[in-house]
């Protein structure tokens, strides 16, 4: 007897990586560390490329994950966080001040505290999508001003750290988080108008004033 096949091509290999851009408007010069949900937790660290891109093989890690980008931008030190679910494997997950805020809003606490706790069970696809959508709605005037539309995904959109598109939006805002009050401030650096995001309540809906923001700035 001879074995026979249907003659079809084999399925493409499944990607086992997470990749994205670590930036604050300019690329972060430093490293990305990913921490998984196994017990005890496993982690890996990779160097961020000159263009802000990172890639990590997660084939031996357990989702959900949190990522931390440590480094400098223009001489200023940053530690920014992001998160990914198993559904994100093979795709893009960025690490920016906005992804840090998405994670913090899900957790109801600063992202660094959640990262240290090791309990990432709340980082589900539904929770990540809901928090991203809520933050996007509050920033939509500014996103529109730099040429982005309502379909932009602040967590997962592929972008270049070249001061255009999503990176132009990052250039236009500064996010600061007070770990004592659990309040984040999102400042439009072009006009010095700001909105407040209470991490504990997760009920803020005030939309940012985008006056003065324009594409190409």
């Amino acid at each position: 007897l001879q074995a026979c096949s249907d003659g079809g091509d084999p399925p493409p290999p499944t990607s086992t990586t997470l990749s994205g851009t670590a930036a604050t408007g300019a690329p972060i010069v430093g490293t990305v560390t990913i921490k998984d949900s196994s017990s005890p937790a496993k982690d890996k660290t990779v160097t961020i490329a000159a263009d802000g891109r990172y890639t990590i093989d997660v084939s031996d890690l357990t989702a959900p994950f949190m990522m931390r980008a440590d480094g400098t931008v223009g001489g200023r030190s940053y530690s920014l966080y992001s998160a990914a679910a198993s559904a994100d494997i093979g795709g893009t997950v960025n690490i920016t001040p906005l992804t840090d805020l998405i994670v913090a809003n899900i957790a109801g606490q600063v992202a660094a505290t959640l990262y240290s706790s090791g309990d990432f069970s709340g980082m589900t696809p539904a929770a990540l999508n809901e928090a991203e959508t809520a933050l996007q709605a509050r920033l939509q005037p500014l996103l529109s001003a730099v040429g982005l539309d309502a379909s932009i995904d602040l967590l997962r959109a592929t972008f270049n750290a070249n001061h255009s598109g999503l990176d132009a939006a990052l250039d236009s805002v500064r996010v600061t988080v007070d770990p004592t009050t659990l309040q984040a401030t999102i400042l439009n650096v072009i006009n010095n108008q700001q909105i407040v995001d209470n991490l504990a309540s997760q009920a803020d809906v005030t939309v940012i004033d985008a006056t003065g923001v324009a594409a190409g700035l």
Side-chain angles (χ1 to χ4, degrees), residues 25-172:
I28 294 174
V29 179
T31 61
V32 168
T33 300
I34 188 168
K35 186 176 180 181
D36 80 348
S37 293
S38 59
S39 183
K42 293 186 285 186
D43 57 46
K44 291 183 178 182
T45 299
V46 298
T47 300
I48 301 168
D51 61 358
R53 298 285 295 173
Y54 80 92
T55 299
I56 297 180
D57 183 356
V58 297
S59 58
D60 57 342
L61 302 181
T62 302
F65 315 102
M66 278 192 68
M67 291 81 74
R68 185 187 70 216
D70 297 304
T72 60
V73 178
R76 182 178 179 182
S77 296
Y78 288 89
S79 288
L80 296 174
Y81 296 83
S82 190
S86 57
D88 293 307
I89 297 174
T92 295
V93 178
N94 300 309
I95 310 173
T96 72
L98 302 183
T99 68
D100 188 288
L101 194 50
I102 288 169
V103 171
N105 272 302
I106 296 171
Q109 58 187 324
V110 294
T113 302
L114 179 65
Y115 184 90
S116 297
S117 78
D119 180 7
F120 310 148
S121 58
M123 300 297 112
T124 64
L128 289 166
N129 291 341
E130 181 179 356
E132 188 281 329
T133 298
L135 180 59
Q136 177 190 333
R138 301 191 69 196
L139 297 180
Q140 194 57 55
L142 187 147
L143 300 175
S144 297
V146 298
L148 299 169
D149 60 32
S151 67
I152 187 70
D153 188 325
L154 303 176
L155 180 65
R156 304 181 182 93
T158 299
F159 76 97
N160 297 315
N162 61 1
H163 309 295
S164 66
L166 181 54
D167 199 57
L170 294 174
D171 281 331
S172 302

